[in-house]
Amino acid sequence: MTAQYIMVVDDEPDIRQLVSEILEDEGYKVVTAENAAKARELHRSRKPDLILLDIWMPGQDGISLLKEWRENDTLCCPVIMMSGHGTIETAVEATKLGAYDFIEKPLSMAKMLLTVSNALRSNQLEKENRGLRKQMSGSLEPVGGSQAMQRLREQARRIAQHDTRVLLYGEPGAGKEMFARYIHSLGNRKNRPFVRAALSSSRAASHALDNLLFGREDDSKIHYGLLDEANGGVLFLAEIFELDNHTQTRLLNALKENRFMRMGGREWVELDMTLMAASSHDLQDDIKGGKFNEELYYLLNVVPLMIPPLREHPEDVPELLNHYVDLLTAQDGLPYRHISLAAQNFLRNHSWPGNIRELRNLVQRLLILGADTEVSLDEAEEAVGTRIPVFSQEIGHIPESLFDLPLRQAREQFEHDYLIYQLKQVDGNVSKLADQVQMERTHLYRKMRSLNVDPKKYGR
């Protein structure tokens, strides 16, 4: 497990040395500062997991430094105040300013270690609770008894034994983040942060992306980025191809050197984290199109993990349906409804273009809108909607008049033929196709799948 990072701030050298040695013996990584100026410098260089802060120091005292961090919105971790001249009023003031606890000198090392452990655990629980509110609760183990899912879980368990980068491939909604979280839960960083970054449709905002990932510094104020948040843990970058070339280069350098510099910063920040990245399409297409850094690709692609679409393991659909019924009734307080066997069989044969995410949303919709205790076949069919016929791989025969077709089918037939025509013009290169038809690539891939258009058939 990656050691947690503690800063000890005290003007007495003997106390700094003693506290540092004891904490290091307990497995923590420790840095020390003799005054507020040095503490401020260390605080800027890397976000600590906890700070032990002396109140009475020459120059700026600990209470003033704590207040400064609070006012600058950079109080990023638990702070334990220390003092040999403590009063109840001082302790109350420190607590009001955001301190986790207050311990008196001479220090009881047993009490100090207990307070440190409790503060770190409390902070970790708070982070976990925030994360759980943003994602579905329950077991992190991916659901499904199919051979495909069993094989994937076994691969994930093997990957988790090594602190290595992972590149997850799969269609939108197939479960890439679910498997990334599963690997994290089994690895040696499982008690450290898992930070998710969604990069979708952000190519145009290069400066905003840099601030998001690397953070920034304005005078004395630090705005922590995702690399700061994930330091010591795992950063998950969804749709990694959305990074622009400039940000890709910055990320590549950070990974190669294990350090980075915030926007507007002047000092390097030590970096210790595992990166997991995801993509809904083959990044080789982007490399050929000059839109993805080849060196970054090979740095990320240490262990590729392919997450299959739900239509390739439909035998898991009944189990997934029941899983989300149980989850949503427990998590959101929705009324329980049993999905009939006929409805389950029908849904098992659905193509699920939106994959597991679509299935979850459908279950939620059925629980919210349904009145009966059982979901019938008719209700399931209505919830899924009428499907467009699957087109042939070649350009279909257009009727003498498109008015002979229903509007929806006529539109889909035209889109199918249009995309095949454009694919032939660009020799099957999807990056060029996206530019040609002026569509975002994730949406373009989804559209081609729904129309049964395979771009690989039209490459040279």
Side-chain angles (χ1 to χ4, degrees), residues 149-295:
M149 292 301 288
Q150 291 181 43
R151 183 171 58 254
L152 273 174
R153 285 195 295 267
E154 177 56 32
Q155 289 176 337
R157 285 191 285 268
R158 289 201 299 270
I159 291 170
Q161 296 174 15
H162 309 279
D163 195 20
T164 186
R165 301 184 189 105
V166 184
L167 184 54
L168 299 102
Y169 282 110
E171 295 178 5
K176 299 185 291 293
E177 182 180 347
M178 175 176 63
F179 270 96
R181 289 185 181 276
Y182 182 53
I183 293 169
H184 171 243
S185 73
L186 300 173
N188 63 358
R189 297 178 187 261
K190 62 184 177 183
N191 295 320
R192 307 294 286 134
F194 179 97
V195 178
R196 177 187 185 275
L199 306 173
S200 182
S201 302
S202 54
R203 265 193 173 271
S206 175
H207 184 70
L209 263 180
D210 282 346
N211 286 336
L212 174 69
L213 285 175
F214 301 97
R216 73 178 193 276
E217 297 183 18
D218 299 329
D219 298 324
S220 62
K221 189 171 182 179
I222 302 173
H223 304 270
Y224 291 112
L226 294 175
L227 293 184
D228 282 300
E229 297 293 336
N231 220 346
V234 172
L235 177 63
F236 175 71
L237 294 179
E239 305 300 14
I240 183 74
F241 60 84
E242 291 289 355
L243 291 178
D244 61 273
N245 294 334
H246 167 76
T247 308
Q248 288 177 35
T249 302
R250 283 191 60 125
L251 179 60
L252 171 64
N253 292 333
L255 294 175
K256 288 169 61 177
E257 300 175 12
N258 292 318
R259 63 178 188 171
F260 69 97
M261 192 176 292
R262 300 186 189 97
M263 303 297 292
R266 297 177 299 278
E267 298 176 356
W268 292 105
V269 180
E270 181 185 350
L271 184 61
D272 171 27
M273 69 170 196
T274 296
L275 180 65
M276 299 188 194
S279 176
S280 56
H281 64 261
D282 191 347
L283 292 176
Q284 292 280 5
D285 292 339
D286 292 2
I287 293 173
K288 293 175 184 176
K291 294 186 177 181
F292 201 82
N293 186 298
E294 187 171 12
E295 188 178 359

Side-chain angles (χ1 to χ4, degrees), residues 44-114:
R44 292 171 71 92
S45 67
R46 178 174 172 181
K47 180 182 177 183
D49 293 306
L50 182 138
I51 299 171
L52 284 161
L53 178 60
D54 187 27
I55 289 181
W56 304 109
M57 296 184 296
Q60 186 178 11
D61 62 79
I63 292 288
S64 299
L65 182 58
L66 177 66
K67 186 176 181 181
E68 174 188 313
W69 283 333
R70 167 94 178 234
E71 290 177 348
N72 289 342
D73 197 27
T74 54
L75 190 59
C76 59
C77 67
V79 176
I80 299 172
M81 306 300 294
M82 306 181 294
S83 175
H85 312 282
T87 64
I88 293 177
E89 290 78 10
T90 305
V92 169
E93 182 182 3
T95 303
K96 285 182 178 179
L97 288 171
Y100 173 81
D101 208 341
F102 179 95
I103 54 178
E104 293 182 297
K105 297 179 180 177
L107 297 173
S108 162
M109 293 302 156
K111 181 179 179 181
M112 181 195 74
L113 288 174
L114 179 62

Side-chain angles (χ1 to χ4, degrees), residues 3-10 15-33 42 46 48-52 112-113 116 120 270:
Q4 292 172 299
Y5 183 70
I6 297 177
M7 186 198 308
V8 178
V9 187
D10 198 296
I15 290 182
R16 291 200 305 274
Q17 182 178 355
L18 177 62
V19 172
S20 175
E21 289 175 352
I22 289 174
L23 290 172
E24 286 174 347
D25 287 343
E26 293 296 316
Y28 300 110
K29 182 173 182 179
V30 184
V31 292
T32 61
L42 292 173
R46 178 174 172 181
D49 293 306
L50 182 138
I51 299 171
L52 284 161
M112 181 195 74
L113 288 174
V116 166
L120 288 168
E270 181 185 350

